[in-house]
Amino acid sequence: MLPILQFIVDIVAGLLGGVLLLRFWTNAIRVRLPDQIRQFVHTITDWLVMPLRRVVPGTRGYDWASLIGAFLVVLVASTVLLLAGASGETMLLYALHRFLTWILYGFMALLIIEAIFSWVNPNAPLAPFVHALNQPLLRPIRRVVKPIGGMDLSVLVALVLIQILLFVLRQVFGYV
């Protein structure tokens, strides 16, 4: 029964945490969410972000309440480990590992979505939004990796680098 509970908690926490991280990232890089997405993001997250903002206000354009909210979500989702007999320290390490992994997987998803848009429909309504979300990741890579034969390989390089970071995280946390 515990694996089923963990599965359901992971789905709900992953969705909520992903939306909170998207809210943080769009504020950090100053990209305006399209209206329908903004309405969805705020409806899903305001119940957690607004009270946290009273305690942790945003500074220098960073919405710390959204980032801390995402970590709190992963922390609460990780408490299922306590039911399985894990220690508090193990649960905290696991939560930190999952939080960092969520961030990296979120970047991977954005990069893959941009690649699909570039192949299928570069003029799709959401394509400029996704492109703007990826710019801070791809800009430094594009300075080093120039297009080869008209092909921009920066997305591929970014995906490989994120995979390396995920491998390093697994090594550092020892498969927590």
Side-chain angles (χ1 to χ4, degrees):
M1 194 70 168
L2 192 60
I4 294 171
L5 176 64
Q6 181 72 49
F7 176 70
I8 292 169
V9 168
D10 284 347
I11 289 173
V12 172
L15 174 65
L16 181 57
V19 172
L20 285 161
L21 289 171
L22 176 65
R23 185 171 179 162
F24 173 79
W25 186 241
T26 55
N27 282 323
I29 62 171
R30 292 166 180 72
V31 170
R32 181 170 166 75
L33 288 163
D35 288 336
Q36 286 181 324
I37 296 173
R38 183 178 43 80
Q39 186 177 10
F40 172 77
V41 166
H42 286 270
T43 301
I44 297 292
T45 61
D46 273 353
W47 67 271
L48 180 59
V49 172
M50 299 316 274
L52 281 172
R53 277 199 185 142
R54 286 193 282 272
V55 179
V56 184
T59 56
R60 297 183 184 154
Y62 293 102
D63 182 14
W64 296 115
S66 294
L67 188 65
I68 291 170
F71 183 73
L72 289 174
V73 166
V74 76
L75 189 62
V76 168
S78 299
T79 58
V80 174
L81 286 176
L82 295 175
L83 297 174
S87 69
E89 180 182 315
T90 300
M91 190 231 8
L92 284 172
L93 285 173
Y94 181 72
L96 180 60
H97 177 258
R98 283 180 71 188
F99 180 66
L100 296 172
T101 301
W102 281 5
I103 291 170
L104 293 174
Y105 277 127
F107 284 139
M108 285 178 67
L110 288 172
L111 291 165
I112 290 169
I113 291 169
E114 180 163 348
I116 291 170
F117 276 145
S118 73
W119 297 331
V120 177
N121 186 2
N123 300 319
L126 287 178
F129 169 67
V130 173
H131 182 73
L133 291 175
N134 286 325
Q135 272 308 101
L137 299 172
L138 297 176
R139 192 178 306 117
I141 295 171
R142 286 183 175 141
R143 285 188 208 125
V144 177
V145 180
K146 303 297 180 195
I148 299 171
M151 296 289 294
D152 181 12
L153 300 177
S154 61
V155 172
L156 180 63
V157 171
L159 287 170
V160 169
L161 291 173
I162 291 171
Q163 285 291 328
I164 291 169
L165 286 172
L166 285 167
F167 176 77
V168 168
L169 270 178
R170 281 190 290 268
Q171 296 303 311
V172 167
F173 284 91
Y175 296 97
V176 175

